[in-house]
Amino acid sequence: MIKKLAVLISGNGSNLQAIINSTKDGILKDVAKIAVVISSNPDAYGLERAKQAGLKAVALDYKNMPKEQYDEEVYRHIKESGADLVCLAGYLRKISHKIISEYKSKILNIHPALLPKYGGKGMYGHHVHEAVVKNKEKKSGATVHFVDDDYDTGYIIMQKEVFLNEDESHEDVAKKVLVVEHEIFPQAIKKAIENEQKKTNKDK
Ligand code: GRF
């Protein structure tokens, strides 16, 4: 049975695009489909990507809504979509405890570093790559993990490394890591779906 994805975004949506492409003619074809795209930012370019792909999209305005109302709206749209998995694709907001407990081991996040290094509150986007460059790391990479109540601490589903040259800027590192993000997010979604199916078969 094709699994339904709720994909949450906050910005450019290049990871959303990778998932869209993969459901169309990649490894997620006939495995998963995007039931809804939910954005925390009404100006996110990812909403345009969703529109181009003919997907149901919800634009919430995190900055101009009380937190409780925002969290309830996110929960309601995930629930109404019938999503089997929730994918945080460049999503910058903390997921409410209510969603985490109801979707335990069903929320996947992409992080632009090799967790557990360079993770935690405030470690997102360029902050991650600047720290990697500052520490003269020889490698970085991307991680897909299940989301729990802390930042970037859930069970790691998949990681992939990129090797860095000495003089690379944090922008260079971000570009290299983003390529790997787009590769492993669809693979990790597929792996999570297959693992879930194995568990269900075993319980029969
Ligand atoms: C990416 O670096 C991703 O790792 C991080 O947000 C950035 C932008 O992602 N979570 P996207 O282009 O909006 O998918």
Side-chain angles (χ1 to χ4, degrees):
M1 187 185 77
I2 293 192
K3 295 295 182 184
K4 290 181 182 168
L5 309 176
V7 183
L8 276 56
I9 62 169
S10 296
N12 178 29
S14 68
N15 278 284
L16 165 66
Q17 191 64 58
I19 298 168
I20 291 170
N21 299 347
S22 184
T23 57
K24 277 207 164 65
D25 50 24
I27 60 167
L28 290 179
K29 187 172 178 350
D30 302 329
V31 171
K33 68 177 187 177
I34 298 172
V36 69
V37 174
I38 302 169
S39 179
S40 64
N41 164 12
D43 303 322
Y45 182 67
L47 287 166
E48 181 55 30
R49 295 178 190 271
K51 187 172 163 226
Q52 295 296 330
L55 299 173
K56 178 172 168 26
V58 175
L60 299 177
D61 190 349
Y62 174 86
K63 288 206 175 91
N64 296 304
M65 285 169 90
K67 183 163 180 352
E68 294 65 34
Q69 183 194 350
Y70 175 82
D71 286 343
E72 198 43 44
E73 283 286 292
V74 174
Y75 173 77
R76 183 168 67 79
H77 288 295
I78 291 172
K79 202 86 182 131
E80 284 172 3
S81 76
D84 301 292
L85 284 179
V86 180
C87 301
L88 309 186
Y91 185 68
L92 297 176
R93 300 299 160 205
K94 191 119 180 35
I95 293 288
S96 69
H97 177 71
K98 178 177 174 183
I99 295 173
I100 289 172
S101 41
E102 184 155 334
Y103 289 85
K104 190 154 181 45
S105 298
K106 295 183 187 301
I107 308 173
L108 285 74
N109 180 51
I110 180 94
H111 184 77
L114 295 173
L115 293 177
K117 292 179 82 174
Y118 303 105
K121 195 166 166 52
M123 286 306 269
Y124 60 88
H126 64 90
H127 300 293
V128 174
H129 309 304
E130 284 164 359
V132 164
V133 167
K134 183 165 166 279
N135 294 342
K136 301 187 185 332
E137 296 286 358
K138 300 248 181 306
K139 65 181 181 180
S140 186
T143 303
V144 181
H145 62 95
F146 282 124
V147 172
D148 60 19
D149 279 305
D150 294 320
Y151 281 98
D152 306 324
T153 52
Y155 174 83
I156 291 175
I157 302 165
M158 195 174 283
Q159 291 190 303
K160 185 166 181 183
E161 295 178 344
V162 289
F163 291 91
L164 306 178
N165 307 317
E166 266 163 42
D167 55 350
E168 286 197 77
S169 67
H170 68 84
E171 292 91 346
D172 296 332
V173 176
K175 279 196 195 97
K176 270 187 174 177
V177 169
L178 200 54
V179 170
V180 165
E181 291 177 41
H182 298 161
E183 275 173 36
I184 70 169
F185 211 167
Q187 290 169 7
I189 292 167
K190 186 161 194 245
K191 186 176 173 188
I193 289 170
E194 287 168 348
N195 290 352
E196 187 60 30
Q197 265 152 2
K198 277 182 211 143
K199 244 192 288 179
T200 319
N201 297 344
K202 221 186 288 171
D203 296 348
K204 273 181 188 153

